[in-house]
Amino acid sequence: MQASDFERQGFAAGVREGFVAFLPVSVGLIPWALVVGMAMTSAGFTPIEAMGMNIIVFAGTAQLGTLPLIVDHAPLWLILATGLALNLRFLIFSAGIAPGFRGIGTGWRWLCGHFLTDGSFAVCYDKLMQVDDPRWRLGFYLITGVWSWLLWQTFTLAGIFAAGVIPKSWSLEFMATIALIVLLVPMAKSRPMLVAALVGGGSAVLLRGMPLRLGVVTAIVIGIAAGFAAEHWQEKKAA
Amino acid sequence: MNDDISLWLIFIVLGLATTLPRASFIVLGNRFNLPPTLQRALRYAPAAALAAIVVPDVLLVGGSVEPINPKLAAAIAAILVAIRWRNPWLPFIVGMAVLLGLKALLPG
């Protein structure tokens, strides 16, 4: 029997319900974590460096996306700019989910912010808006973050050691490219998103000659502008 | 040695570039909001950024455009599989099979 929102009270009850809701979603993290672990090892990181990056950064997309730049000894500002671009969605998630933390202290909010992932956002958003009790909301949200963190660290570690025993000729680094494709495909379901991706990708190829890898950042900005323009054009046509 | 230190510096900078956007509005509460137009435009940032990394990676061989190469074929296979099936492992299996299969068939 489903509890009504009125009955949803207490931290422990929140943790229980959060875990049940999040468990099926969290399975999707496993291949992704394995791939990131293997990709970091293929990039030449020692296990300590790879786990250091994994714990400090804790963001698969930003880790995978910046790896080629790190390997190429790209300048720090470019690595930072690329990481920020890949993390911009979190700014939007953070703004969206922020009202769900009403009545929760600043310290907890920092911890919750650190744990904000695509999966936690997707699973928690509605519940955090609806349920009244702050302790229940904190429990519900935190278990999704803590569980993601544990799964992520465990399976990345597994990936790091798996990569060490697999021969180089298996081109495992290409798994990272496939992982980025797997993230990109569902994003590009709407027409403007597809335009943003095609224009961003095409521009990156055309602008590859720009010094200091500036082409990547420029291509991202052009892609964003193209997606936004396509959205406006689509709305105009629909109106 | 210098290289190792800069690697950890990169991790810390990237860590900040992850946690600060994530915590931003959750910590600030409702006191401050991004302009709606900017919020809408920023929704396109992840797709544009991912494509800007993936497309050159699969389309370029040694710095020049190579429309027929194993990586591109494998990428297209992975895209088709990801569109058609929801299984999270399948794009990896099919993509890697196409890449390794073509590399084995084509000399060099």
Side-chain angles (χ1 to χ4, degrees), chain A residues 179-199:
Chain A
L180 296 176
I181 289 172
V182 169
L183 274 185
L184 183 56
V185 165
M187 277 182 197
K189 284 260 159 76
S190 86
R191 191 65 60 84
M193 280 292 177
L194 184 62
V195 170
L198 290 176
V199 173

Side-chain angles (χ1 to χ4, degrees), chain A residues 68-206:
Chain A
L69 301 175
I70 296 172
V71 172
D72 271 12
H73 298 281
L76 183 60
W77 69 263
L78 178 62
I79 297 170
L80 173 64
T82 307
L84 277 174
L86 292 170
N87 284 332
L88 272 178
R89 70 186 187 286
F90 291 127
L91 206 59
I92 297 155
F93 292 174
S94 189
I97 207 167
F101 294 91
R102 60 199 182 278
I104 293 169
T106 307
W108 286 113
R109 282 172 180 250
W110 274 109
L111 185 66
C112 291
H114 182 68
F115 282 144
L116 182 64
T117 59
D118 307 59
S120 288
F121 176 81
V123 169
C124 296
Y125 183 84
D126 285 340
K127 284 279 183 292
L128 295 201
M129 298 303 140
Q130 291 158 7
V131 175
D132 192 46
D133 182 25
R135 290 163 305 157
W136 190 94
R137 278 185 270 120
L138 186 62
F140 189 94
Y141 177 88
L142 267 185
I143 189 64
T144 66
V146 170
W147 181 245
S148 300
W149 196 92
L150 287 174
L151 269 187
W152 182 253
Q153 305 303 344
T154 307
F155 283 94
T156 309
L157 191 64
I160 289 166
F161 288 109
V165 296
I166 293 170
K168 192 113 189 128
S169 65
W170 289 19
S171 303
L172 274 190
E173 71 287 348
F174 195 71
M175 299 267 278
T177 305
I178 299 178
L180 296 176
I181 289 172
V182 169
L183 274 185
L184 183 56
V185 165
M187 277 182 197
K189 284 260 159 76
S190 86
R191 191 65 60 84
M193 280 292 177
L194 184 62
V195 170
L198 290 176
V199 173
S203 307
V205 171
L206 293 175

Side-chain angles (χ1 to χ4, degrees), chain A residues 205-239:
Chain A
V205 171
L206 293 175
L207 299 173
R208 67 185 180 278
M210 282 177 80
L212 296 171
R213 289 272 218 140
L214 264 171
V216 177
V217 178
T218 314
I220 294 169
V221 174
I222 297 173
I224 293 172
F228 197 50
E231 181 187 319
H232 274 260
W233 189 68
Q234 202 180 37
E235 277 172 3
K236 253 193 201 151
K237 232 174 67 170

Side-chain angles (χ1 to χ4, degrees), chain B residues 22-90:
Chain B
R22 279 177 173 168
S24 58
F25 290 96
I26 291 177
V27 171
L28 288 172
N30 298 323
R31 276 168 284 175
F32 176 76
N33 272 310
L34 278 181
T37 315
L38 188 60
Q39 271 197 45
R40 284 175 65 190
L42 287 180
R43 283 185 298 137
Y44 297 102
L50 287 177
I53 295 158
V54 170
V55 176
D57 191 27
V58 299
L59 207 56
L60 301 176
V61 177
S64 56
V65 177
E66 196 80 62
I68 299 169
N69 78 73
K71 280 198 294 183
L72 184 60
I76 290 169
I79 289 170
L80 293 177
V81 168
I83 291 172
R84 179 66 183 79
W85 288 284
R86 303 206 59 171
N87 183 323
W89 303 93
L90 216 50

